[in-house]
Amino acid sequence: MFKPLTLRTYLLVAALIALALALPHVIDDSYLLHLMILSIIFAIFASAWNLVTGFAGLKTFGHHAFFGIGAYASALLGINLGLSPWLTIWLAAVIAALAGVFIGTPILRIRSMPHVAIVTLAFAEIVRITISNLQGITRGELGLWGIPAFEGFMLPLIGEVVFNPSVKLWYYYLALGLLLLSIGLIALMMRSKVGLAVVAMRDGEDAAESLGINLARFKLLVFGVSAFLVGLAGAFYAHYVSILTPMAAVGPDLIILVIAMVLVGGLGTFSGPIIGAFVLTFLGESLRVLDDYRLLIYGALIILSIMFMPRGLATIGSFFRRRPAEARAD
Amino acid sequence: MSSPSQQPLLQVEQASMVFGGLVAVKDLSLDLRAGEILALMGPNGAGKTTTFNMIAGALIPTSGRILFEGRDITRMKPDGRCRAGVARTFQITQPFHELSVVENVMVGSMVHHTSLAETRKEALTYVEMVGLGAKAEAPAKQLSTGQRKRLELARAMATRPRLLLMDEVTGGVDQKSIPDLVALVQRLHGEGLTLIIIEHNMRVISELAHRAIFMNRGEKIAEGTPAEIAAHPDVVELYLGEAAHA
Ligand SMILES: Nc1ncnc2c1ncn2[C@@H]1O[C@H](COP(=O)(O)OP(=O)(O)OP(=O)(O)O)[C@@H](O)[C@H]1O
Ligand SMILES: [Mg+2]
């Protein structure tokens, strides 16, 4: 993970980006594009959760709080102050990061991971219930609507960039941009000294601390960056779907889905959360008829993937090539 | 062996560590001069590792003080003590399993460099120093017990300490490689390192240590040269006698 990237990796990433850019021109289908956009939102969310849990080993189950905070913050700033979504998504991400640092400071001192899991989950429930009860501001369960859309503009050589429900193309490209930014940030971080410290901390806190690593500082850094990215994904989601309810934006279903995505894709890998997000979003769509039983399927998927491919889809290729030791570097 | 200077590097003053009802270390005092090698001896459960934990910051003593270079570090966290110049190895080795051998050592050398490339370069010298050069890129989880002990040593040295606490580094290492380890410690000592070693091997102690402290049930019961300790009646009774019977 801390060795220079090979040419093969660069080429693979470049090819994937080219494919993602070309995709809407190949399949011109609004519904399919919608699924792609949802997958991307979840890919950002899952990658950020994986940063904290997979790379840093902090078992947090309350990250949907930051998704909701990002979504509502961006929507409310737009509705009440008339600010542009181009600005408010970043403000909302910063607010989510501050919330992350705020809740992270006491939590990260807890060394027992089951306690961390429960406290973070409870924190997210508090956020959801608060949003649901602040009806004067959030309209509670009635749902927050009238969320401004991204303003369009003219792009030289390319033409008009528009964001409205019937034209998904630019939402797709914007989401893709945010995804690349998020993964780029995570990869830069994890492949630097910060990443080395973070992985050491995950593998052995006492040893890491004895070698001069300030545990609290790195945990807080990782937690803050992760909350920022999840908040950003939530903010984009708000302006994309243009209506928010506490259950849709902060419901515990969200985190269950994200955990399933990361475990199926590959915990502690770069590509796993992205693969998992796409697989489960499309699978979820095709299982739509099952309605409430979908969570049951996700549960079964988590169990099956842990049993048969404990390191997820991301490492399945190297599993067949029998080089499990290198698999984490993907 | 270079002769120790008179300046106290480490002072432990009346330190006690109580776990619930168990007194693991009781009113322990010791002074360590820069350049000295001190051996900490005693039977299982005597409180040797607990003493290391208090010096390295993994435990905060229930009472008493710890001074390093005259500075009170009693409540300082382990990472702060590491940066101050105190390094330790763990009796029960704690390799970072998902990292390679050299990456394990890079965690130690990281603070001294800005780039990962330089960090790796320095780390490799420590990997080679402990004789793990051929294993540098292997995952740490593939190492044998003896190799893990060496990795502990390389990782601790990579932080460039002035005081190194070595907890049973020769334990589990195959007998043939013990002279190499002894020579290595002598070399590091010659370069200015001060050490406290927890050791059961009497030959290693007499070859390395200037002074030894013998503990039992948390208390210091004898202090002197390794030869004096080996001849001390209580020690013979408690420890060597026990070994002779075994
Ligand atoms: N964190 C802890 N909590 C409770 N008891 C502890 C803890 N650490 C050590 N002890 C107890 O304190 C006593 C001293 O333990 P310590 O590990 O310091 O002994 P030691 O001299 O290093 O022994 P050994 O030669 O077996 O390594 C033992 O009875 C041990 O069980
Ligand atoms: Mg011990």
Side-chain angles (χ1 to χ4, degrees), chain A residues 2-3 191-193 196-197 199-200 202-204 206-214 311 325 328, chain B residues 77-79 82-83 90 94 96-99 103 106-107 110 113-114 116 120 137 139 141 155 159:
Chain A
F2 303 97
K3 279 185 236 154
R191 295 180 52 81
S192 73
K193 281 167 54 174
L196 191 58
V199 173
R202 175 191 71 195
D203 278 4
D206 293 336
E209 203 175 20
S210 83
L211 295 169
I213 288 169
N214 183 332
R311 294 194 149 181
R328 300 286 277 212
Chain B
K77 294 201 144 231
D79 55 306
C82 172
R83 285 189 293 272
F90 289 91
Q94 301 193 12
F96 305 122
H97 290 279
E98 299 292 337
L99 297 179
E103 284 164 356
M106 285 164 69
V107 177
M110 192 162 68
H113 302 281
T114 43
L116 267 187
R120 174 180 292 268
E137 301 299 336
K141 61 182 157 213
R155 219 165 54 170
T159 67

Side-chain angles (χ1 to χ4, degrees), chain A residues 152-169:
Chain A
F153 52 88
M154 279 301 288
L155 210 59
L157 299 179
I158 292 179
E160 203 180 358
V161 174
V162 284
F163 296 90
N164 72 48
S166 56
V167 185
K168 303 246 186 293
L169 183 70

Side-chain angles (χ1 to χ4, degrees), chain B residues 2 126 129 157 161 184-194:
Chain B
S2 62
Y126 292 104
M129 178 186 86
M157 283 311 297
L184 175 59
V185 171
Q186 275 166 342
R187 195 186 107 200
L188 296 173
H189 173 249
E191 288 165 10
L193 187 67
T194 306

Side-chain angles (χ1 to χ4, degrees), chain B residues 19 22 24 42-51 53 59 91 167-168 198 200:
Chain B
F19 298 112
L22 177 89
N44 293 118
K48 305 179 297 290
T49 298
T50 304
T51 302
N53 282 336
L59 291 172
Q91 178 177 3
D167 200 344
E168 300 194 18
I198 295 178
H200 288 298

Side-chain angles (χ1 to χ4, degrees), chain B residues 150-199:
Chain B
R150 291 156 177 274
L151 177 58
E152 288 276 331
L153 182 58
R155 219 165 54 170
M157 283 311 297
T159 67
R160 301 187 193 160
R162 282 192 294 289
L163 170 64
L164 175 64
L165 311 172
M166 280 195 346
D167 200 344
E168 300 194 18
V169 166
T170 62
V173 174
D174 70 294
Q175 296 297 308
K176 284 179 306 221
S177 59
I178 288 182
D180 282 352
L181 271 176
V182 169
L184 175 59
V185 171
Q186 275 166 342
R187 195 186 107 200
L188 296 173
H189 173 249
E191 288 165 10
L193 187 67
T194 306
L195 294 105
I196 307 182
I197 56 175
I198 295 178
E199 228 349 297

Side-chain angles (χ1 to χ4, degrees), chain A:
Chain A
M1 185 154 139
F2 303 97
K3 279 185 236 154
L5 290 174
T6 58
L7 183 64
R8 210 177 125 242
T9 312
Y10 279 114
L11 288 177
L12 188 68
V13 170
L16 282 173
I17 293 175
L19 186 72
L21 287 175
L23 192 82
H25 302 283
V26 182
I27 39 157
D28 185 15
D29 178 322
S30 170
Y31 176 63
L32 221 59
L33 222 46
H34 170 66
L35 289 186
M36 291 296 289
I37 293 168
L38 285 183
S39 301
I40 292 174
I41 293 171
F42 276 114
I44 299 174
F45 191 162
S47 297
W49 183 75
N50 177 56
L51 171 65
V52 168
T53 303
F55 287 129
L58 307 166
K59 312 242 174 338
T60 66
F61 290 164
H63 259 44
H64 47 309
F66 306 126
F67 192 81
I69 289 172
Y72 272 93
S74 193
L76 289 171
L77 283 171
I79 293 170
N80 295 313
L81 301 180
L83 297 175
S84 158
W86 292 106
L87 175 65
T88 59
I89 58 168
W90 302 106
L91 294 178
V94 170
I95 292 170
L98 290 177
V101 171
F102 173 75
I103 176 71
T105 307
I107 283 175
L108 301 176
R109 295 189 189 282
I110 308 173
R111 286 210 175 196
S112 149
M113 280 307 151
H115 288 86
V116 170
I118 288 170
V119 173
T120 48
L121 187 59
F123 164 70
E125 274 300 281
I126 292 170
V127 170
R128 184 181 66 79
I129 293 165
T130 307
I131 289 174
S132 169
N133 286 334
L134 284 178
Q135 286 166 7
I137 304 170
T138 65
R139 293 194 202 118
E141 299 295 334
L142 294 174
L144 186 62
W145 43 267
I147 302 168
F150 289 97
E151 294 96 351
F153 52 88
M154 279 301 288
L155 210 59
L157 299 179
I158 292 179
E160 203 180 358
V161 174
V162 284
F163 296 90
N164 72 48
S166 56
V167 185
K168 303 246 186 293
L169 183 70
W170 293 102
Y171 278 113
Y172 171 78
Y173 281 131
L174 177 56
L176 193 62
L178 294 179
L179 175 65
L180 291 178
L181 192 99
S182 306
I183 302 168
L185 182 66
I186 292 172
L188 266 182
M189 230 173 104
M190 285 312 298
R191 295 180 52 81
S192 73
K193 281 167 54 174
V194 174
L196 191 58
V198 163
V199 173
M201 183 169 81
R202 175 191 71 195
D203 278 4
E205 288 205 342
D206 293 336
E209 203 175 20
S210 83
L211 295 169
I213 288 169
N214 183 332
L215 301 181
R217 183 193 300 165
F218 282 103
K219 285 182 183 179
L220 218 52
L221 175 69
V222 165
F223 216 75
V225 169
S226 174
F228 179 90
L229 294 177
V230 175
L232 186 63
F236 174 83
Y237 170 82
H239 298 283
Y240 175 60
V241 299
S242 73
I243 175 156
L244 293 175
T245 63
M247 222 33 207
V250 212
D253 291 14
L254 269 179
I255 192 72
I256 295 175
L257 183 55
V258 165
I259 292 171
M261 286 167 173
V262 175
L263 292 182
V264 169
L267 186 70
T269 63
F270 287 115
S271 55
I274 306 165
I275 297 173
F278 277 85
V279 169
L280 284 203
T281 304
F282 277 83
L283 194 73
E285 257 333 281
S286 48
L287 296 176
R288 229 198 153 89
V289 282
L290 296 177
D291 202 31
D292 280 350
Y293 293 103
R294 270 193 291 177
L295 282 182
L296 214 64
I297 306 275
Y298 294 148
L301 262 176
I302 294 179
I303 293 168
L304 287 176
S305 61
I306 288 172
M307 281 171 66
F308 296 111
M309 37 169 212
R311 294 194 149 181
L313 288 170
T315 57
I316 206 114
S318 35
F319 178 78
F320 286 124
R321 270 180 273 127
R322 293 195 170 277
R323 290 189 319 193
E326 287 171 38
R328 300 286 277 212
D330 290 13

